[in-house]
Amino acid sequence: MSAQRPAPLILLACLFAGLMLGGLRSPWLWMSASAVIWSLALWKPEALSLDSIKLWGAWLAWALLSLCVCDQPWKGLYSLARWLTLVAFFGLALSYWREKHATLWFWGLSIVAPVLALAAFFIRSPQGTLIGLIPPYYNYTMFIEAAFIAAGAAALWHPGGPQGRRRWLLTAAILLALAIIVLARSRSALWAVSAAMALLAFKQPPATYNRWRLLLVGLAGAAVLLLMPESWWIRWMKLDMVQWFTRPQIWNSAWQVAGDSPLWGEGIGNFEQGFLRHNFPKSWAVAYGFSADHAHSEPLEVLAETGWPGLALFMAALWAGARVTRKAWSNKLDFAPAAAAAALTAMAAQCLVDNMLQLPALGLLFFSALACVAVGDSPARLPSASARIAGRALATLGLGLSLLGVASNLLLAHF
């Protein structure tokens, strides 16, 4: 066995263990996972694929600058270190993963998602919310379920997708995930699945009649929904909880925060400070006040925290990944890249209306899908001496920032 073979499996283990361990919300668990990722980078620094992640590096450099000029730079260290580790994970995956590892990623997700769905059914909050193994909110688990449904549907429709018993098991797991989303009343997850299915209808099916069949299924589903009683609509659309729904107001506040400092932003990890300047009254929070530490929209939070230049760099890095994603749909031999592309579509759609990437393991899931669609896209190059030096310097910096970020997070939580 060559020295490189354990690395891709270690990266996959970090991802799936993180999903099962509360999404690595615990700073100690996330520090352990970060240490593993940065250790791989230190062991083989040229594997960070610096050329492939340079746009993400540009965004991180801008985020660091905006953090240095903000009022509370120490408060953003944990967020900056988290993003840096996620990008390092992505770079390592680009180097180490091959087609077989993308397939392992898909089947790993196909095992973890049903387990998390069942856990959500049995593990609930005192109010009955389906929190499962990733507390305190149900939407984290539903994010994974939506990604899995999209990936599974793409695999089932792919000409080289699973056959026989695996096909039936995969279908059953998809139905279970969809049932949990409906039971949890997760509108954002349903929106994510719908967005992925819409793209899949035009990208994935190998024949035109499949698109018509999918359209007929969609129309039949819409007809069934229209015939549902009003009480069902009130419950599923959460109209009975409208007084608790604050997301549109938070989006508006995030836009106002971005207007305070269009160039530098509030500083990564410092959204709450800006939000408190543009708070809004809530009748149920009069006694204690209302606050939000996230914008409930990934692009809006990036804009509020790093300004317009930061958002432009962030979207440029995503667009570079989207370009690679488009090629994954045309792969007729291997279903895994197309499945990852569908999952990426669902996750990106949900990130428009919530901050899913703030939970480390969900960030790993997003970047792992991005790595899977890029498998085999660029030929391997012999590493140069400068790439090794730059990679080792980045790995050392990343490991130090991760430790410092966890320490600052624990100190802020304590005091």
Side-chain angles (χ1 to χ4, degrees), residues 271-311:
F271 175 79
E272 186 175 22
Q273 180 184 2
F275 174 80
L276 292 175
R277 294 197 306 270
H278 300 283
N279 207 339
F280 50 88
K282 291 299 293 182
S283 59
W284 48 265
V286 170
Y288 302 101
F290 176 68
S291 183
D293 53 358
H294 293 296
H296 289 282
S297 170
E298 212 69 58
L300 274 178
E301 181 155 318
V302 170
L303 173 62
E305 293 188 343
T306 63
W308 284 101
L311 179 63

Side-chain angles (χ1 to χ4, degrees), residues 72-92:
Q72 301 181 114
W74 62 89
K75 194 174 181 180
L77 284 177
Y78 188 72
S79 294
L80 182 68
R82 185 191 66 248
W83 277 109
L84 186 59
T85 304
L86 293 177
V87 171
F89 173 91
F90 176 51
L92 291 171

